[in-house]
Amino acid sequence: MPDLDKHIIESGLEGVRLDKVLNDFMPDTGLRYRRRLCDDGRVLVDGKVRKPGYKVRAAQEVTISQGATYMSASELGVEIVAQGPLFAAVSKPRGVHSAIIAGRDEPSVESVLGELFPDDLPILLNRLDYMTSGLLLVAVDGTGVGMYQKLEDAGEIKKFYLAKVLGRLDGMVTVKNALDTDNRKTTRVLDEKDADSRRWTDVDDLSHDHGTNTSQVRCLIMKGARHQIRAHLASIGHPIVGDALYGEATEEQILYLHHQRIEFPGFEAECLAGWEE
């Protein structure tokens, strides 16, 4: 799409909300993305910034500056993995942002949710790091947001991740250390145990590659904190392969961490990692 679009409002669109009108000019975008453009001042009507609810008039000129980096869901490689009446799960490739970043013209999963769920008002419920791939959970509408929070508080949401780590890890270990995530580029693992078991990381060994001295592990968390799995694994001497922040970068620039499965009462979804054996 071009960086700067100009359109004239036709008489048939008289009185229609601006965020709805924009769908005629940007059919491959979602409602949340179009509203964000308006809120960020990147949609002008007759030269003036207008909010999403502004009702247009015939013959007005609409100028859209959305940036050259908008990509559709298919271009990003984002797909619906599972969908129910209240929740859905979509796949996020590595190297894609989960959420829209205010003031930045970078593609994200959140910016294409409206395209994937055109008849709903989808809300992103979790985030993954930029280089982490896997499942993102979506509330189909606002009803699911409160339910998700209650389930999470009750410890009923289980999130499984696959990771490839350095060294040999035999059996299963639970990392219970509390985390300090405040105002830090990296999350600090504290010496004391976290009293909230939902913040623990269960690590289960799946296989070991003698040639590379790496292990594939499965991690379970229930209410994750920022960089929880990455920091916890590094703290027990098994940093994730390709994790430049908590271990060492690799030439292939792949972070071997993938959100494989999510399950809670009434919903489950799973997607394989591209490198999964």
Side-chain angles (χ1 to χ4, degrees):
M1 295 182 181
D3 186 38
L4 190 65
D5 291 334
K6 292 186 178 182
H7 305 271
I8 302 297
I9 299 297
E10 298 180 357
S11 58
L13 296 175
E14 178 89 35
V16 177
R17 287 173 55 104
L18 180 58
D19 54 3
K20 301 290 186 181
V21 168
L22 291 178
N23 186 53
D24 285 17
F25 309 142
M26 309 161 62
D28 293 328
T29 61
L31 180 61
R32 286 176 64 84
Y33 177 76
R34 298 193 300 271
R35 288 178 176 173
R36 181 62 66 92
L37 286 181
C38 296
D39 289 335
D40 287 350
R42 290 154 61 190
V43 179
L44 306 179
V45 180
D46 286 344
K48 296 182 179 180
V49 173
R50 297 295 186 182
K51 292 300 182 181
Y54 175 79
K55 294 183 178 180
V56 302
R57 300 190 303 275
Q60 287 184 314
E61 181 183 72
V62 176
T63 304
I64 308 166
S65 176
Q66 62 172 317
T69 54
Y70 177 78
M71 298 173 67
S72 67
S74 60
E75 289 173 325
L76 285 177
V78 179
E79 299 178 344
I80 298 175
V81 176
Q83 185 170 1
L86 293 179
F87 300 99
V90 301
S91 60
K92 184 189 92 69
R94 67 174 181 269
V96 175
H97 292 291
S98 297
I100 295 171
I101 302 175
R104 292 170 60 179
D105 290 326
E106 296 184 55
S108 68
V109 174
E110 187 178 26
S111 68
V112 299
L113 289 183
E115 175 190 342
L116 293 172
F117 304 96
D119 299 324
D120 304 299
L121 291 175
I123 300 171
L124 190 64
L125 292 175
N126 68 314
R127 308 285 191 272
L128 295 176
D129 293 334
Y130 180 72
M131 290 305 294
T132 301
S133 60
L135 295 172
L136 288 173
L137 189 65
V138 176
V140 176
D141 58 33
T143 307
V145 176
M147 182 175 294
Y148 174 79
Q149 292 172 343
K150 290 179 181 179
L151 289 168
E152 189 176 54
D153 290 341
E156 295 192 66
I157 294 180
K158 295 182 178 180
K159 304 173 184 178
F160 297 91
Y161 287 72
L162 288 179
K164 186 182 292 187
V165 302
L166 296 177
R168 185 183 186 98
L169 191 150
D170 292 316
M172 182 175 179
V173 62
T174 299
V175 188
K176 302 179 180 180
N177 300 70
L179 299 171
D180 179 5
T181 61
D182 292 340
N183 300 319
R184 296 177 179 275
K185 182 179 179 181
T186 60
T187 292
R188 186 162 64 99
V189 180
L190 305 178
D191 293 333
E192 62 263 26
K193 170 184 171 182
D194 197 319
D196 186 352
S197 61
R198 296 170 304 172
R199 302 290 191 182
W200 299 351
T201 302
D202 292 333
V203 187
D204 190 11
D205 173 51
L206 299 179
S207 63
H208 180 254
D209 186 323
H210 294 279
T212 60
N213 191 29
T214 60
S215 298
Q216 184 159 290
V217 300
R218 195 183 197 199
C219 301
L220 166 63
I221 61 175
M222 288 183 284
K223 191 175 183 180
R226 178 174 174 270
H227 294 180
Q228 176 176 325
I229 294 175
R230 297 168 65 182
H232 269 167
L233 286 173
S235 75
I236 60 172
H238 297 286
I240 297 173
V241 175
D243 192 344
L245 201 56
Y246 296 93
E248 295 181 2
T250 58
E251 290 184 3
E252 58 185 346
Q253 296 183 331
I254 295 176
L255 175 67
Y256 282 90
L257 180 62
H258 176 80
H259 187 195
Q260 178 199 35
R261 179 175 176 82
I262 186 168
E263 58 184 55
F264 53 87
F267 187 84
E268 61 181 39
E270 183 170 340
C271 71
L272 300 179
W275 45 268
E276 183 178 0
E277 299 173 358

